[in-house]
Amino acid sequence: MAELHDLDAHDQSAALRSREVSAVELVQHHLDRIDAHDAALGAFITVTHERALARAADADARLADKDTTPPFLGVPTAFKDLTSTAGVTTTMGSALLRDQVPDLDAHLVTLVEAAGFVSLGKTNTPEFGLSSYTDNDVVGPARTPWDPTRNAGGSSGGAAVAVAARLLPLAPGSDGGGSIRIPASACGVFGFKPSRGRVSSGPDGSDWAGLAVSGPITRTVRDAAALLDAMAVPMPGDVRPLPAPPEPFTSWVGRDPGPLRIARWSGTHLPGVEPSSEAVTAWESASRLLESLGHDVVDVPNPFPRELETQFNLIWPSSVAAAPVAAEAEQLLRPNTRYWRQRGLQTSAVELSRAMTYLEQTTRTVVTDLGPFDAMLTPTLALPPQHVEWFNESGDPVEDHRRELLFTPYTGLYNMSGQPAASLPLHWTAGDTPLPVGVMLATHPGRDDLLFALCAQVEAASPWLRRPHAA
């Protein structure tokens, strides 16, 4: 058998059921890897050693009783530190909440644990998940294991690092402007943002803006499909619930998607923001691969208008502005968090309503105009992973935001439109320290199933599993 940490979640589950390894041994193996590697990588904010081993022991007892109902009984995972976990510190990446311990689990946590997964703790995230890089005043930056001098991307940076470095086989993340796909690209793993409404934010979260959704970060497409199958169960009262898919997403992995018509563009919707040569090379290579698989890849201009960025920046900071932060505690927030909080506080209800209406109307037109196409292809990011220092908060939040736009001009568009989108780790830069460069595939709203079929086809044609230097 391969090293335990090199197995994906499906193979780890198979090893547990065949009793090649116990859940306690499997969880301890991953905890040991966290202890050995995480200080250099910053994947975790909190590691729950005793709790994880106790739950692994429970899993072993159930496996001994031939309880095979939960499909991933005893397989390790961890939750992003924005996700409420009862009895486990949940900082949301903020020194202000360093000691916060929720009383209840997010619905996502309940569902993932019901599938048998054992959580090893909470993964690193920027303060309130606001940035496209992961750094905070709790544990500091998350670093891509391909080159730990470079940031892992955000805001699910810790989750992507943990999966890439084989500290976990998979992990849930959340994505409000690219926060699954950005770190997936920077860490060389597979990241899948589901359609709007696919995963509930309950019981205490809210999908009022329609931008954020939770989804899987994995090393294989089949693991991502299985994790989304576990997560995609609505709660009563969800504002935008999608009906349950007629078939599990895992049933689409390995299914021939048929010849598809795929629109592609590499230009951004932002003046002065252009993709790097590495991003274009990855995109061109992916285009050739898709054509070799029988798909019709068609050049189109970027269909999203530049004004979306202005309207997005009225909506995005409103959530942090609504956070109940006492005036005397404001100084505990990072400077850029205070900046976005103030922007949100200055936005009127009328401005917010107009911005949300503009996003809905505009992206509805875009999706309609893309109707002749089955899927879309772009770079995931405009730049490869950037040095940790490049994202240090400079004291000029406008400049810091400009750098984020230079880094990630593509991903947030699909949050605005509600389309499912995935980052595939198909390309690495040349040189002594190769860096991962993802490409992004998307489909129409609600067609997560087709996207899984297409991504699995690409994975089979060009397998991407590699081990980074730091792992």
Side-chain angles (χ1 to χ4, degrees):
M1 185 171 66
E3 290 276 4
L4 291 174
H5 54 268
D6 283 330
L7 302 177
D8 74 354
H10 278 81
D11 285 341
Q12 288 189 14
S13 177
L16 287 166
R17 291 171 187 278
S18 67
R19 309 310 286 160
E20 295 175 70
V21 65
S22 71
V24 167
E25 290 169 333
L26 183 63
V27 165
Q28 185 65 66
H29 179 84
H30 285 84
L31 288 170
D32 289 344
R33 285 187 60 78
I34 294 169
D35 291 342
H37 297 288
D38 192 50
L41 297 176
F44 283 82
I45 290 181
T46 301
V47 183
T48 54
H49 293 81
E50 293 182 6
R51 181 186 179 105
L53 288 169
R55 295 197 171 189
D58 289 343
D60 278 328
R62 295 176 66 182
L63 287 164
D65 289 340
K66 308 300 183 184
D67 180 358
T68 58
T69 302
F72 293 97
L73 186 59
V75 175
T77 191
F79 296 104
K80 186 175 178 179
D81 210 29
L82 296 182
T83 306
S84 179
T85 45
V88 178
T89 302
T90 301
T91 72
M92 302 188 77
S94 178
L96 178 65
L97 303 176
R98 190 186 298 272
D99 300 318
Q100 174 179 254
V101 180
D103 295 325
L104 79 168
D105 284 328
H107 186 49
L108 178 151
V109 172
T110 301
L111 294 171
V112 170
E113 292 187 340
F117 290 101
V118 174
S119 175
L120 308 192
K122 305 302 291 291
T123 56
N124 201 358
T125 186
E127 191 163 53
F128 302 143
L130 280 174
S131 62
S132 59
Y133 56 93
T134 297
D135 197 356
N136 56 50
D137 293 335
V138 182
V139 296
R143 303 166 183 269
T144 176
W146 295 88
D147 178 356
T149 69
R150 296 172 185 264
N151 196 280
S155 64
S156 305
V161 172
V163 173
R166 274 67 170 172
L167 311 183
L168 297 170
L170 50 64
S174 58
D175 191 316
S179 290
I180 287 172
R181 293 156 291 153
I182 295 165
S185 179
C187 293
V189 292
F190 181 68
F192 190 99
K193 182 199 83 70
S195 293
R196 177 180 293 142
R198 181 67 71 192
V199 179
S200 174
S201 61
D204 62 343
S206 172
D207 186 30
W208 67 270
L211 296 174
V213 64
S214 294
I217 298 175
T218 65
R219 295 193 296 270
T220 61
V221 174
R222 68 175 184 172
D223 273 4
L227 186 53
L228 187 56
D229 278 332
M231 296 163 60
V233 180
M235 281 195 78
D238 284 346
V239 176
R240 299 180 178 87
L242 286 179
E247 300 175 78
F249 294 121
T250 47
S251 71
W252 285 78
V253 175
R255 183 180 298 188
D256 184 355
L260 304 179
R261 196 159 186 255
I262 301 175
R264 74 165 198 162
W265 62 89
S266 64
T268 81
H269 68 302
L270 301 173
V273 178
E274 299 295 336
S276 65
S277 60
E278 294 95 339
V280 173
T281 297
W283 172 75
E284 292 282 14
S285 177
S287 299
R288 292 191 295 272
L289 176 59
L290 289 165
E291 288 175 333
S292 76
L293 294 170
H295 303 299
D296 182 20
V297 181
V298 181
D299 284 296
V300 301
N302 190 320
F304 293 92
R306 62 177 293 184
E307 292 80 7
L308 281 169
E309 178 65 23
T310 302
Q311 303 306 314
F312 182 87
N313 286 335
L314 290 172
I315 299 169
W316 185 242
S318 297
S319 58
V320 70
V325 178
E328 61 271 17
E330 287 275 347
Q331 71 275 11
L332 294 176
L333 300 177
R334 299 195 107 199
N336 282 5
T337 305
R338 293 199 299 270
Y339 167 76
W340 286 108
R341 183 171 164 80
Q342 286 303 310
R343 284 194 62 166
L345 289 169
Q346 293 164 8
T347 301
S348 71
V350 171
E351 290 173 318
L352 181 60
S353 177
R354 286 173 176 166
M356 293 181 66
T357 300
Y358 179 85
L359 254 65
E360 182 175 347
Q361 293 176 342
T362 301
T363 57
R364 181 184 289 122
T365 299
V366 170
V367 171
T368 300
D369 290 346
L370 287 170
F373 299 97
D374 302 295
M376 304 88 212
L377 172 70
T378 70
T380 303
L381 300 173
L383 301 174
Q386 295 296 294
H387 287 284
V388 169
E389 294 77 16
W390 198 71
F391 286 121
N392 274 1
E393 298 198 5
S394 66
D396 181 354
V398 175
E399 167 60 18
D400 293 340
H401 182 53
R402 186 186 74 86
R403 291 189 181 193
E404 292 196 69
L405 292 179
L406 291 173
F407 182 55
T408 179
Y410 301 101
T411 55
L413 297 169
Y414 291 128
N415 297 85
M416 300 182 220
S417 66
Q419 294 171 255
S423 180
L424 288 70
L426 285 174
H427 185 76
W428 275 257
T429 62
D432 295 335
T433 306
L435 297 171
V437 179
V439 297
M440 187 161 55
L441 283 168
T443 51
H444 287 279
R447 291 310 314 270
D448 309 64
D449 47 11
L450 178 62
L451 184 56
F452 274 122
L454 178 58
C455 290
Q457 183 190 50
V458 171
E459 179 187 34
S462 183
W464 53 61
L465 283 178
R466 301 188 186 190
R467 182 182 292 187
H469 311 295

